[in-house]
Amino acid sequence: MTDHAHHGPATRAIHGQRQRDAFGSPHMPIYDTTTFAFETTEALREVSEGRRQGPLYSRYGQNPTLYALEETLAALEGAEAAWAFCSGMAAISTLFLTHGRRGIACLGEVYGGSLALLEQQLPDLGIATHLLPGHDAEALERCLAAGAGLVYLETPTNPTLTLLDIQAIAEQAHRHGALVAVDSTFATPINQQPLSLGADIVVHSATKYLGGHSDLTAGAVMGAEAVLAPMWRWRQNLGSALAPHGAALLSRSLRTLALRVRQHNASAQAIAEALPAYAGVARVLYPGLPDHPGHALARRQMRGFGGMLGLELAGGRAAAARVADRLALFTLAPSLGGAESLVTQPCTTSHVDLLPEERARRGIGDGLLRLSVGLEDTEDLIADLRQALASLETP
Ligand code: PLP
């Protein structure tokens, strides 16, 4: 835990970075430098042999702009350390290669790229992976007893916004000496702090809310120094560290993270409450609604319910496509977490490769739309949804 323990998230996002450059700039400038000079061989060896942290070579992650970003990222999650990567998938694959070699138990729904690694590529390398239901403690117990060393989960999940109990899962995993890593991309560090609930590692696709403007691709892991340390060589030699320009852009975005997330939360809640009244709406999936199956857990483990929302239409695939096409302020595009609202139909995008029965088993109906609620005026977003839904009433 850093000495920001007593600060709130908005303060951490702004003051998490303590390093200043030689001229006292309030933020770390972009060191677009690939290599750094030393006065003596001994001074160089101190850094290259890991006795002192300092700039050396940017691909290794040894760059002042990256260090400054990582201080903020660590402060935001209440972590000892954080490392930044060139994408969310770079962070996740490096995590799996480092800590997954004894076997990985993956719980519930996860992002398609993570799933592809777990289902196809890691087994090719001889890494045992187990895709388990989210809420099956007995299946997890068997997997842990068989020696799996890493439990991996997302909460809330994509696209059904299912909640998993981080604390209960961490307690179970720790009884077997396994690590728990949580992809907290949907929640953000503002709404959820997995480390404080017992997780060992937090992963983010910083491409989403942390970046927040759909203009950068980045990833991050946060956790205790000793847990992250073995990942360092993998990041170095896979070449997956974030480059300085991306790091500076992400640092800048983090300064407004708390402000943005509060607005995402407020708008999504208002939309979730308004939608059930409209004709054609079969179901609204949002953890902030009392009828959401994970609502009680969300109240316990989250400080806000997030900006992602599922909208299931009674008219199925055609109705969902029609509404998506009629929306004017929700742009039809994958991804999430930006200032602009986005809409996708998971059966045509993120989950297109699954058979219809498999999607149904996972609760992903063909009439489901996934909304990433942006930062536009809430009333404008509700009016846009209202007019798009009204189009279902005309032939
Ligand atoms: N995790 C989640 C929950 C995601 O939604 C995504 C991408 O959509 C990723 C990880 C991968 O992130 P990136 O696209 O930055 O590699």
Side-chain angles (χ1 to χ4, degrees), residues 86-90 92 110-114 152 154 156 158 183-186 203-208 216-219 335-336 370:
C86 59
S87 69
M89 283 316 300
I92 291 165
V110 290
Y111 170 65
S114 313
Y152 182 75
E154 289 179 17
N158 175 28
D183 180 336
S184 198
T185 299
F186 270 41
V203 190
H204 283 279
S205 166
T207 312
K208 317 300 181 197
L216 83 101
T217 301
S335 200
L336 59 124
R370 187 187 81 173

Side-chain angles (χ1 to χ4, degrees), residues 23-114:
F23 301 100
S25 164
H27 58 267
M28 187 61 80
I30 306 175
Y31 283 85
D32 60 354
T33 317
T34 54
T35 190
F36 294 84
F38 292 82
E39 291 299 324
T40 63
T41 302
E42 177 48 27
L44 187 151
R45 284 184 54 202
E46 273 184 10
V47 176
S48 67
E49 292 170 8
R51 284 179 275 132
R52 182 171 66 79
Q53 193 200 47
L56 173 63
Y57 190 61
S58 290
R59 196 246 305 155
Y60 297 176
Q62 293 169 312
N63 176 292
T65 312
L66 204 66
Y67 285 147
L69 165 68
E70 289 171 341
E71 280 188 349
T72 308
L73 289 169
L76 272 169
E77 286 287 5
E80 262 178 19
W83 287 338
F85 289 81
C86 59
S87 69
M89 283 316 300
I92 291 165
S93 53
T94 306
L95 164 71
F96 288 164
L97 289 170
T98 309
H99 285 300
R101 278 170 297 162
R102 274 171 47 205
I104 304 172
C106 170
L107 307 185
E109 296 296 323
V110 290
Y111 170 65
S114 313

Side-chain angles (χ1 to χ4, degrees), residues 156 187 190-192 261 265 269 286-288 298 301-307:
I190 307 301
N191 287 334
Q192 178 171 281
V261 171
N265 290 346
Q269 182 76 38
Y286 185 66
Q301 80 177 10
M302 300 181 78
R303 296 190 292 210
F305 301 117

Side-chain angles (χ1 to χ4, degrees), residues 38-306:
F38 292 82
E39 291 299 324
T40 63
T41 302
E42 177 48 27
L44 187 151
R45 284 184 54 202
E46 273 184 10
V47 176
S48 67
E49 292 170 8
R51 284 179 275 132
R52 182 171 66 79
Q53 193 200 47
L56 173 63
Y57 190 61
S58 290
R59 196 246 305 155
Y60 297 176
Q62 293 169 312
N63 176 292
T65 312
L66 204 66
Y67 285 147
L69 165 68
E70 289 171 341
E71 280 188 349
T72 308
L73 289 169
L76 272 169
E77 286 287 5
E80 262 178 19
W83 287 338
F85 289 81
C86 59
S87 69
M89 283 316 300
I92 291 165
S93 53
T94 306
L95 164 71
F96 288 164
L97 289 170
T98 309
H99 285 300
R101 278 170 297 162
R102 274 171 47 205
I104 304 172
C106 170
L107 307 185
E109 296 296 323
V110 290
Y111 170 65
S114 313
L115 188 63
L117 272 179
L118 290 161
E119 253 184 337
Q120 297 151 27
Q121 283 142 311
L122 295 177
D124 281 351
L125 298 179
I127 296 176
T129 62
H130 311 271
L131 304 176
L132 306 179
H135 294 106
D136 190 341
E138 283 175 22
L140 177 58
E141 194 63 23
R142 282 194 297 277
C143 203
L144 290 166
L150 178 68
V151 178
Y152 182 75
L153 62 131
E154 289 179 17
T155 180
T157 64
N158 175 28
T160 56
L161 285 311
T162 302
L163 271 280
L164 297 185
D165 188 333
I166 297 172
Q167 193 167 0
I169 292 164
E171 282 169 12
Q172 188 178 0
H174 291 162
R175 283 198 291 276
H176 293 267
L179 293 174
V180 174
V182 177
D183 180 336
S184 198
T185 299
F186 270 41
T188 81
I190 307 301
N191 287 334
Q192 178 171 281
Q193 302 260 291
L195 299 178
S196 72
L197 296 164
D200 302 284
I201 300 166
V202 183
V203 190
H204 283 279
S205 166
T207 312
K208 317 300 181 197
Y209 289 101
L210 303 190
H213 298 76
S214 308
D215 59 2
L216 83 101
T217 301
V221 295
M222 295 84 155
E225 268 317 329
V227 175
L228 296 199
M231 292 179 70
W232 198 84
R233 285 249 173 255
W234 282 97
R235 184 181 73 163
Q236 177 189 23
N237 293 330
L238 291 170
S240 56
L242 182 60
H245 280 87
L249 198 54
L250 183 51
S251 282
R252 184 179 139 137
S253 294
L254 290 179
R255 290 167 175 245
T256 56
L257 177 68
L259 206 57
R260 288 186 281 110
V261 171
R262 278 183 211 134
Q263 182 60 30
H264 287 296
N265 290 346
S267 275
Q269 182 76 38
I271 291 170
E273 287 171 8
L275 281 174
Y278 299 129
V281 173
R283 209 160 53 119
V284 178
L285 302 172
Y286 185 66
L289 292 180
D291 67 355
H292 185 277
H295 181 64
L297 175 57
R299 291 188 76 90
R300 267 206 326 275
Q301 80 177 10
M302 300 181 78
R303 296 190 292 210
F305 301 117

